[in-house]
């Protein structure tokens, strides 16, 4: 047998760090400790104006404007994915610092902040509470509408047939997906540095917040005869995956809470504080009795909350077979499909997903390996939903295997090798819940799997892998056990985010 790998594609997406330095004119109006907190939080937020918004003092704008309104195009409950038009009208003096935020849940306003003041000591300015207690999901400057600042004037008041009051308006398009909790749109003045609230929309609900969504597949062993499907729902009751010719399996259901996140008494992490969003319930079920390198169909859900569409999927090649075609990449994250700014944007992610979608559609892909730095949610939990929505078109069709990275795991006093706050307090919990891999135990995210002529060894650089550590001994045993006549290729996968030297011993270098 002359084994070969027909397609081995590595796609690397460069992380974009945007560093924002406030101008002298805008900074003079801010308390010095607020400015310092911007610097302090750069590791949590990959610093920019919007990403430190939650550190800003928030007030109600002194605006007696009786004409001001904010309206949303959707007149009914929201679907699982749609673009809504948000229109701000009745504006007397439009400014390039006016902006609109999408906030969820809709009751996340300033009213509860004074009662939790102790959680905001890191701002250094308790005298100026309340703050923006909850981080907006996304936001846009109203000037994204080119007609807003130029102002097509609308008459609001006439006197003896003459217009005496004119106002301006602007419209923005927001991409909305089902995140289970209701949302509202809030119109702010003052930019991201000195925000104040002008107006709020009515709360908008999703038509089915319990809908099963964002299904993705993973391999559970090297046989190609079993595949795990994992999805998210607002329903805590077990659901089913139906597949093949009348087969079904009941889901195991889990979730996580703020108590599962990491934090410190000195500096609360985003994951337990302003970045928290309810993850709903994560369902997982294994489809057994499949055949490797074959095509099947499945759907997931229940009669009570609804079903996904029927999806065709391909099982990977069994270990020891002649060929496997896979894609491997890392550091992808996600990006908005509208003109919004969000907490963490990886602009290349949309292009990467388009390219992978084309490959999967061609039938030339057996599996995908996403090695480290998965969603870059980093403590802003709603961004996991946006990431899962992004990958679902490909991850629901082929095995989507992952490895943990610093932006999923690292945090002080968490057991990580590195004490950086790169995970924003997630400490690997959301990652391991959304992406169950064939690992030996909880918080031991290393594993191996075979597909075709390749033995994949996947490790965690965030856990101790120094000589004689538990992970080192596992690697030693794993690679020593490889039958090179069966799987002559060994592919060693890890997420390298920190600068260090890989010390390969003679055994590994021979592999």
């Amino acid at each position: 047998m002359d084994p070969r790998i027909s397609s081995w594609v590595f796609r690397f997406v460069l992380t974009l760090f945007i560093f924002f330095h406030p101008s002298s004119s805008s900074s003079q109006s801010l308390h010095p400790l607020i400015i310092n907190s911007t610097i302090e939080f750069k590791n949590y937020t990959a610093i920019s104006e919007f990403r430190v918004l939650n550190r800003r003092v928030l007030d109600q704008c002194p605006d007696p404007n009786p004409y001001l309104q904010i309206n949303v195009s959707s007149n009914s409950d929201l679907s699982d994915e749609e673009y809504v038009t948000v229109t701000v009208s009745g504006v007397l003096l439009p400014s390039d610092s006016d902006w609109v935020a999408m906030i969820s849940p809709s009751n996340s306003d300033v009213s509860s902040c004074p009662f939790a003041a102790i959680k905001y000591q890191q701002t250094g300015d308790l005298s100026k509470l309340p703050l923006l207690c909850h981080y907006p999901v996304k936001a846009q400057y109203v000037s994204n509408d080119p007609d807003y600042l130029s102002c097509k004037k609308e008459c609001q008041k006439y006197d003896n047939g003459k217009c005496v009051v004119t106002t301006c308006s602007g419209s923005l398009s927001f991409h909305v997906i089902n995140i289970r909790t209701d949302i509202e749109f809030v119109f702010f003045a003052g930019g991201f540095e000195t925000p104040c609230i002008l107006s709020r929309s009515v709360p908008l609900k999703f038509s089915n917040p319990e809908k099963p969504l964002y299904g993705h597949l993973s391999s559970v062993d090297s046989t190609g005869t079993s595949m795990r499907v994992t999805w998210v729902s607002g329903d805590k009751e077990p659901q089913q995956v139906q597949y093949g010719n009348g087969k079904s399996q009941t889901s195991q259901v889990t979730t996580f809470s703020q108590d599962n996140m990491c934090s410190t008494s000195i500096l609360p992490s985003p994951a337990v504080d302003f970045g928290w969003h309810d993850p709903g319930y994560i369902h997982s079920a294994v489809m057994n009795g499949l055949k490797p390198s074959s095509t099947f169909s499945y759907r997931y859900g229940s009669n009570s909350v609804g079903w996904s569409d029927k999806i065709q999927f391909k099982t990977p090649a069994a270990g020891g077979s002649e060929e496997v075609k896979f894609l491997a990449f890392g550091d992808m994250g996600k990006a908005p499909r509208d003109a919004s700014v969000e907490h963490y944007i990886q602009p290349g992610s949309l292009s990467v997903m388009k390219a992978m979608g084309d490959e999967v559609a061609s039938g030339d892909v057996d599996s995908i390996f996403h090695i480290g730095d998965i969603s870059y949610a980093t403590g802003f939990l709603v961004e996991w939903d946006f990431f899962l929505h992004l990958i679902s078109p490909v991850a629901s069709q082929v095995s989507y295997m992952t490895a943990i990275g610093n932006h999923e795991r690292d945090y002080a006093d968490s057991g990580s090798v590195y004490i950086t706050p790169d995970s924003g307090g997630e400490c690997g919990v959301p990652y391991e819940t959304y992406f169950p891999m064939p690992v030996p135990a909880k918080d031991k995210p290393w594993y191996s799997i075979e597909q075709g002529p390749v033995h994949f060894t996947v490790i965690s650089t965030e856990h101790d892998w120094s000589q004689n550590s538990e992970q080192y001994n596992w690697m030693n045993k794993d690679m020593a056990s490889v039958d090179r006549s069966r799987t002559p290729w060994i592919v060693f996968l890890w997420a390298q985010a920190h600068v260090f030297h890989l010390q390969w011993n003679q055994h590994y270098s021979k592999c």
Side-chain angles (χ1 to χ4, degrees), residues 32-42 52 55 122-123:
L33 291 176
I34 297 294
I35 298 171
N36 290 340
S37 75
T38 298
I39 299 171
E40 181 180 9
F41 271 78
K42 68 181 180 181
V52 291
R55 300 299 89 200
Q122 67 267 37
T123 65

Side-chain angles (χ1 to χ4, degrees), residues 52-215:
V52 291
L53 178 63
N54 57 284
R55 300 299 89 200
R56 306 307 190 191
V57 174
L58 179 71
D59 292 312
Q60 192 75 28
C61 298
D63 182 16
N65 182 355
Y67 310 110
L68 193 62
Q69 294 185 39
I70 180 169
N71 294 294
V72 184
S73 60
S74 181
N75 295 319
S76 58
D77 290 344
L78 297 166
S79 63
D80 296 327
E81 179 184 15
E82 65 178 283
Y83 286 86
V84 300
T85 300
V86 179
T87 300
V88 175
S89 60
V91 180
L92 293 170
L93 295 171
S95 169
D96 58 7
S97 63
D98 296 341
W99 57 286
V100 172
M102 173 179 153
I103 292 180
S104 180
S106 63
N107 62 358
S108 298
D109 57 24
V110 300
S111 60
S112 62
C113 281
F115 304 104
I118 193 171
K119 297 177 74 174
Y120 297 87
Q121 292 181 25
Q122 67 267 37
T123 65
D125 196 2
L126 297 181
S127 64
K128 291 189 176 181
L129 286 171
L131 303 174
L132 185 60
C133 297
H134 195 81
Y135 199 88
V137 173
K138 55 173 63 182
Q140 294 185 45
Y141 280 106
V142 191
S143 58
N144 283 352
D145 179 350
D147 293 332
Y148 182 62
L149 295 180
S150 60
C151 186
K152 294 180 179 178
K153 295 186 181 296
E154 305 157 343
C155 189
Q156 297 287 354
K157 184 178 180 181
Y158 291 89
D159 186 4
N160 294 325
K162 182 180 180 181
C163 183
V164 294
V165 178
T166 61
T167 60
C168 309
S169 64
S171 295
L172 303 169
S173 178
F174 282 86
H175 178 231
V176 178
I177 65 168
N178 190 342
I179 53 176
R180 298 168 301 282
T181 53
D182 57 354
I183 64 175
E184 71 170 346
F185 292 92
V186 181
F187 180 32
F188 289 89
F192 299 143
E193 283 212 334
T194 55
C196 62
I197 296 175
L198 288 168
S199 184
R200 299 174 182 267
S201 74
V202 297
L204 299 168
K205 298 181 181 296
F206 290 96
S207 59
N208 185 0
E210 297 184 329
K211 181 77 175 288
L213 295 165
Y214 317 137

Side-chain angles (χ1 to χ4, degrees), residues 16-39:
L16 175 65
F17 289 97
I18 302 174
F19 292 92
F20 171 76
H21 300 282
S23 65
S24 58
S25 59
S26 61
S27 299
Q28 288 175 352
S29 61
L30 298 175
H31 191 287
L33 291 176
I34 297 294
I35 298 171
N36 290 340
S37 75
T38 298
I39 299 171

Side-chain angles (χ1 to χ4, degrees), residues 284-447:
S284 186
V286 176
M287 299 181 286
N288 296 311
L290 307 172
K291 294 181 179 180
S293 302
S294 302
T295 300
F296 299 88
S297 64
Y298 71 100
R299 69 171 187 167
Y300 52 88
S302 69
N303 291 333
S304 60
V305 300
W307 293 89
S308 71
D309 294 334
K310 186 172 285 189
I311 304 165
Q312 279 201 326
F313 73 100
K314 183 180 181 181
T315 54
S321 57
E322 292 189 359
E323 180 180 283
V324 66
K325 305 171 185 178
F326 65 93
L327 306 180
F329 63 99
D331 297 15
M332 188 175 73
K334 53 98 190 121
R337 295 188 181 275
D338 54 29
S340 295
V341 290
E342 296 177 348
H343 156 63
Y344 213 130
I345 296 175
Q346 297 282 55
S349 59
L350 299 180
S351 298
V352 171
M353 286 306 304
K354 173 63 168 60
M356 289 200 298
D358 292 343
E359 294 276 357
V360 170
S362 73
D364 258 354
V365 176
D366 296 318
S367 60
I368 295 172
F369 286 81
H370 186 164
I371 307 304
D373 295 351
I374 307 299
S375 73
Y376 285 89
T378 58
F380 296 78
L381 277 303
V382 74
E383 302 209 358
W384 277 106
D385 283 292
F386 280 93
F387 175 79
L388 294 170
H389 173 270
L390 174 65
I391 69 167
S392 185
V394 298
S396 63
Q397 297 185 63
V398 296
S399 175
Y400 196 95
M401 308 302 290
T402 59
I404 200 167
N406 58 304
H407 287 290
E408 286 77 54
R409 184 61 181 82
D410 292 357
Y411 202 78
D413 301 323
S414 69
S416 177
V417 171
Y418 305 100
I419 62 172
T420 63
D422 292 352
S423 76
E426 292 185 8
C427 298
V429 174
Y431 163 77
E432 286 197 311
T433 308
Y434 288 122
F435 291 96
M437 295 291 114
V439 300
K442 185 177 180 181
D443 201 28
K444 296 181 180 181
W446 48 85
Y447 64 94

